[in-house]
Amino acid sequence: MSANKTHILVVEDEAPLVELLRYNLERAGYRVSAAGDGEAAMRAIDEDRPDLVLLDWMLPLMSGIEVCRQLRRAPGTANIPIIVLTARGEEHDRVRGLDAGADDYVSKPFSPAELIARIRAVLRRIRPALADEVLSYADLTMDLVQHRVTRQGKAVHLGPTEFRLLRHFMEHPGRVFTREQLLDSVWGRDVYIEARTVDVHIRRLRVALNIEGQPDLIRTVRAAGYALDAQGG
């Protein structure tokens, strides 16, 4: 079920700190990946888009500030939340980090508990769907704790795969996903399933959501993929 966990990319060149962060973040329920330098971070983000980046200021090959600037300039990554980690605690350094596009700034040394609280605060502010236990879109509500979905207040009965698929859509409303992206995010990268399998589960999800003739919330984008869109289609 790790594919549905909030994904945090740790960009840090100190291996012991990476392992400390990984241990504490995974205990807090996050999925964690890591990159040891700025160029590796850009490749990792391109291959597996994270929900939040923990970014060290001082990195080999490309500084954390330059990584931050490049992410903010590219439309596909401009909205990824970024928290800068650094030993540089002076006010003008904090201002530089925030001016480069960081959403928060944590000075080393820090406690894991404080960092996790800051992560949750940033997610609540910027990507609230990733911080909440109840997701809502249009007339749909998904309770992640009770594992229940309702539409217009009426229960929607979903299989486990359709539930994970709908959750992924509700965490990224309006965004178009290819079949391959949905396979990676919902089924996981280590599972071999044909891309057309996605179509089968999209059909099942549509049938479940539209059981009483409500407007279709799943939009099919020809030659591109699918999106959760109140315009439907």
Side-chain angles (χ1 to χ4, degrees):
M1 301 291 275
S2 62
N4 280 322
K5 292 182 179 179
T6 300
H7 175 203
I8 295 179
L9 173 65
V10 176
V11 188
E12 169 63 61
D13 62 331
E14 297 179 23
L17 180 54
V18 171
E19 291 313 305
L20 176 67
L21 290 170
R22 185 189 297 276
Y23 172 77
N24 283 280
L25 291 170
E26 288 180 346
R27 281 191 64 195
Y30 298 106
R31 177 166 71 91
V32 181
S33 58
D37 61 64
E39 292 183 0
M42 298 303 294
R43 290 194 300 271
I45 291 166
D46 184 58
E47 293 170 2
D48 187 10
R49 189 69 47 83
D51 297 304
L52 181 142
V53 177
L54 289 181
L55 183 61
D56 187 36
W57 177 299
M58 301 296 291
L59 290 170
L61 303 181
M62 183 191 300
S63 72
I65 293 301
E66 182 57 28
V67 171
C68 190
R69 289 191 181 114
Q70 290 198 21
L71 293 177
R72 288 294 178 250
R73 283 198 294 262
T77 58
N79 295 319
I80 296 177
I82 300 171
I83 298 178
V84 171
L85 307 176
T86 181
R88 305 165 71 113
E90 293 83 359
E91 182 179 359
H92 69 275
D93 288 326
R94 292 199 299 273
V95 171
R96 279 187 66 198
L98 295 171
D99 282 347
D103 298 290
D104 202 355
Y105 190 106
V106 179
S107 297
K108 300 176 183 178
F110 50 80
S111 75
E114 177 195 357
L115 178 62
I116 289 168
R118 300 283 278 273
I119 288 170
R120 287 174 175 156
V122 167
L123 289 173
R124 278 196 300 271
R125 187 171 75 246
I126 298 170
R127 302 277 299 275
L130 297 173
D132 292 343
E133 293 180 338
V134 176
L135 307 181
S136 297
Y137 180 77
D139 55 0
L140 274 178
T141 301
M142 172 176 280
D143 188 319
L144 301 178
V145 176
Q146 298 186 22
H147 218 74
R148 291 178 179 171
V149 176
T150 59
R151 184 167 189 188
Q152 297 179 358
K154 298 178 181 178
V156 175
H157 301 290
L158 300 176
T161 301
E162 287 72 40
F163 185 93
R164 295 197 303 272
L165 187 60
L166 179 60
R167 174 175 177 173
H168 185 70
F169 280 132
M170 292 184 73
E171 288 176 342
H172 307 87
R175 179 174 166 183
V176 178
F177 292 96
T178 65
R179 294 181 181 89
E180 290 74 17
Q181 288 171 328
L182 290 171
L183 283 173
D184 285 346
S185 298
V186 177
W187 281 263
R189 286 177 171 265
D190 298 327
V191 178
Y192 178 75
I193 298 175
E194 291 186 2
R196 290 291 175 181
T197 301
V198 174
D199 299 340
V200 174
H201 290 280
I202 289 286
R203 283 197 296 272
R204 291 178 183 172
L205 180 58
R206 276 187 163 132
V207 168
L209 292 178
N210 308 332
I211 194 167
E212 295 188 6
Q214 293 99 330
D216 192 354
L217 293 178
I218 307 297
R219 179 163 62 98
T220 300
V221 182
R222 189 176 299 276
Y226 300 100
L228 182 67
D229 191 324
Q231 302 304 312

